[in-house]
Amino acid sequence: MTTSESELRIRELIMHRLSEMAAETGTVTREQLTAFPVADQMWKLVDQSRGIRNPRELEATLTVMSSSDGPYSDAELDGSLYRYDYRSGGDGGDNTKLRRAYELGVPIILLRKIRSKTFVPVFPVYVVGDDRDGKFFLLALDESIRFLANPQHPSEAERRYIARITRQRLHQPEFRGRVMLAYETKCAVCHLKHGRLLDAAHIIGDNEPGGEPVVQNGLALCKIHHAAYDNDLLGISPDYTVHINDDLLQERDGPMLKHGLQEMNGRDLHLPSLRLEQPDRDRLSTRFEKFQDAS
């Protein structure tokens, strides 16, 4: 079965525009998704009261929404797969066009709700399974997973690959979105507000114990301060104070070194307004010991 080139082109344009929109903060709002300008046309990427968007102009579903506080059992599964429960209507209703996305193999968009009216978009996502008995679809976070012999039971080599894909396509974008929201898209060290120049930095690396992708293990840092933090040229103590490597403080170079790093020494960290989203002091302590050893 095939779908039209025009429909594939529209999906491509929508996803490109969505990528540009999310680059600043990592998130998009319901307001942005409700009136979404693409190719001289205003598209609606979400419905008012349904978690699936089936535009009449398209042959298959365009977006699906998932929320941890919703009425369905949507969940990430082992193997870079996502369970998406049938919406009300059984084999028909909203599920008809999502089944059509499965038949045609067209890309769709997964909207992960992380706050009221705020979403992290994950795309392109593909429908790779339709369990009529269990009444759920299987979504793959990467096109290559569609071609595995058994996506639900991958080999060890395949498992390592799809674990990496899951981090890149699901965990990292959601981590960045949550961190940018917590820090109001502002560098915790220098207060730079340009989202495209900001990263969500891990306090404890995501491949280490305690390195979970949660806001308490994150810092919003501009590119230079993120690099300095990762290389132990900048440290943050558990009392939320910024420290610069002693050797770096003695160097004489130019305005970037002076104003961008040396003058940050002793500065108080900019913190999220919600206490529950502020950096975990134990994690900071562990990481700060590493900075002190390197100094």
Side-chain angles (χ1 to χ4, degrees), residues 184-195 197-198 222-223:
E184 300 175 305
T185 317
K186 183 187 301 183
C187 177
V189 173
C190 68
H191 300 183
L192 180 73
K193 297 180 181 179
H194 292 276
L197 298 177
L198 299 180
C222 68
K223 302 291 186 181

Side-chain angles (χ1 to χ4, degrees), residues 160-295:
R160 288 194 297 270
Y161 167 75
I162 57 185
R164 184 170 72 251
I165 291 295
T166 303
R167 286 198 300 272
Q168 295 171 348
R169 300 290 311 285
L170 188 65
H171 297 163
Q172 290 176 5
E174 185 167 335
F175 176 63
R176 183 175 189 269
R178 291 183 183 277
V179 170
M180 290 300 112
L181 278 176
Y183 285 84
E184 300 175 305
T185 317
K186 183 187 301 183
C187 177
V189 173
C190 68
H191 300 183
L192 180 73
K193 297 180 181 179
H194 292 276
R196 293 172 188 263
L197 298 177
L198 299 180
D199 295 330
H202 288 79
I203 298 172
I204 303 296
D206 61 1
N207 58 345
E208 304 175 45
E212 294 82 7
V214 294
V215 175
Q216 298 88 340
N217 187 42
L219 298 163
L221 297 177
C222 68
K223 302 291 186 181
I224 188 169
H225 291 138
H226 187 186
Y229 190 62
D230 282 352
N231 288 278
D232 297 313
L233 297 173
L234 179 153
I236 299 170
S237 53
D239 63 353
Y240 302 137
T241 301
V242 178
H243 300 261
I244 300 299
N245 177 279
D246 289 338
D247 291 339
L248 207 59
L249 288 173
Q250 305 307 316
E251 286 187 24
R252 295 293 179 266
D253 187 3
M256 177 55 73
L257 177 63
K258 179 180 179 181
H259 301 299
L261 288 168
Q262 291 171 337
E263 290 183 0
M264 300 298 107
N265 192 51
R267 175 175 285 207
D268 291 335
L269 200 69
H270 164 65
L271 297 173
S273 57
L274 296 178
R275 185 177 294 275
L276 287 176
E277 295 182 333
Q278 292 176 2
D280 178 72
R281 292 179 187 268
D282 289 337
R283 287 186 171 100
L284 284 176
S285 179
T286 298
R287 183 61 186 271
F288 191 61
E289 289 178 7
K290 185 171 177 285
F291 166 79
Q292 290 177 310
D293 291 341
S295 299

